[in-house]
Amino acid sequence: MKKTIGPFRLDTRRYRLFYDIHSWVGVIGGLIFFVCCFSGTIALFEHDLISWENPTLRRTPGAESLGTDALIEHAEEHLGGFEETVFVELPSEANAAFHARTFGETGVRRVNLDPATGQPIATKEDSAFDFLTHLHTDLHLPRPWGRYLVGLIGIFLMMALISGAMAHPKVFKELFLLRWRPSLRMSFSDLHKQAGVWGLVFGGVMAFTGAVIGLLGLFAPIMVLSAFGGDVGKATEAFSGPPREATGNPAIMLSIAELAETTEAANPGFEAHSFLLRHYGDESAEVGLNLEPTPYRKLVAGETHRISLVSGETFHRSSFTGKGAGSRLFGAMQPVHYALFGGLGLKLLYFISGLVLSLGIVSGSLIWLEKRQPSPRQVGAKPRHRWLSKLTLGVCVGQVVASAAAIAAGRFMAESLEPVFWSTWVLGLIVAYVIPNGFLVCRAGGFLTAALLALTAAGDLTMSPLLTPEVIRIDLTFLALAACTLAISVVTPRRSKRRQPAPELSQSLTPSESPS
């Protein structure tokens, strides 16, 4: 009779297989897992913090607006005419500006207008949250290869999570066990198990949806063309509607505001927050109204209505609903991944869960490396694991501090955003290699992160020309986050206890020793 291990009743051979898969996937991919997961927690708030990062976009609540049609005329004037396609984003609580972006043969031109006057608003070219979001979506690698790589990372992260659950036989029994100070390995082991269990479902969902979103551009064309027998035109028409070419004959345009109001009335629970103009001023002109559910409580993304700007006829409607369970599931990928189906409370829950998952990743790698570091009494031992441990610590702590520095730079000196971020991260790596005490590096990184967040929030509160209720809430949230970071740094041990003797080979497969 075979001996079984853990709640999944695995025999010893399968248990060792899952342990090895978990260990090597975690060790090889641990650093890049952490970079993607931690930057993803910040990417959640990219669109919520636009006006916070750009004080010129702030607007007094309840201020008057010229209206959509008048602002379109102002945008066309300031852009020197529209190209074939124009994307328009209407003012919102997070971004009070009327944004218009036209793109065609001459490239991309954009303008932000004050809704009350129609005059252009000067904005920063560089955004810290856009920069950090691209670190999450494509690692700042050339497109589309960076996005494909992140999609593959999602697949490997799923492997690490599944194999980790199978390789930890006592993980549910020790669900609330946390020994903070006995030894470095024991502390990291308990943190790793708690973070792994509490973040298992969240991490699995994020890894799966991230893999689908990242690899969509690679596999979607193949799937679509196979479904339509290789007919590109038929596939495009099925998803986007019939193509419309400009005729060169001018025509009078209908009111986009009235068309939006009529469409919203016919689709209760939806609002138009943006739209796409094609061939504006031509008799073939159309508007594609992007309707989003209001309030944001639906898992499936919104829908697009293509309407003629001459006749007012709706000639195509794109939606993920009403096309079967597969279509609805696919339409839910992006809202689930970026918490777009809930309010600020849901995003904060995602933020905490993302930090827990990031903690589980780095603690698992450090456990594995700490176990394999040579004892000082071992003559001639190669210190490669010690150097790899310092690299892990430098990358992770350095990224946290560099992200806080990038947020501060994005708010007060956007032109220096990228140099500040990369130089801070490199400095974190150097400090991790120079200072032998890893606990001291963690404490210093925590103190510095808390100081940067607090100073950024305090600077915005004291230096901003206009403080809206939304901006004040954001600054207070930064101060609360700084206080939490400071408290965690204070209770972090200053040094490790004496290193315990290396366990025997028979003990090397305990659940507390595996990386994320």
Side-chain angles (χ1 to χ4, degrees), residues 24 35 49 106 157 176 188 208 254 265 292 300 326 383 391 496 512:
W24 287 107
V35 171
L49 300 175
T106 60
L157 182 56
F176 298 97
F188 278 147
F208 175 74
L254 295 177
E292 297 293 341
V300 181
L391 175 64
S496 175
S512 64

Side-chain angles (χ1 to χ4, degrees), residues 110-128:
R110 66 192 72 207
V111 66
N112 288 296
L113 302 180
D114 185 339
T117 64
Q119 295 304 307
I121 301 174
T123 58
K124 300 174 182 178
E125 293 292 333
D126 299 313
S127 165

Side-chain angles (χ1 to χ4, degrees), residues 103-178:
F103 40 94
E105 295 181 357
T106 60
V108 179
R109 291 172 291 142
R110 66 192 72 207
V111 66
N112 288 296
L113 302 180
D114 185 339
T117 64
Q119 295 304 307
I121 301 174
T123 58
K124 300 174 182 178
E125 293 292 333
D126 299 313
S127 165
F129 290 94
D130 179 68
F131 177 82
L132 295 173
T133 297
H134 277 294
L135 184 64
H136 172 69
T137 58
D138 52 37
L139 299 173
H140 287 287
L141 297 175
R143 296 182 181 181
W145 308 111
R147 185 171 286 270
Y148 295 162
L149 176 60
V150 172
L152 290 173
I153 290 169
I155 295 177
F156 283 105
L157 182 56
M158 281 193 293
M159 291 175 55
L161 291 169
I162 294 172
S163 59
M166 306 292 282
H168 286 68
K170 298 180 181 179
V171 69
F172 297 106
K173 293 181 180 179
E174 300 174 348
L175 193 57
F176 298 97
L177 178 63
L178 182 58

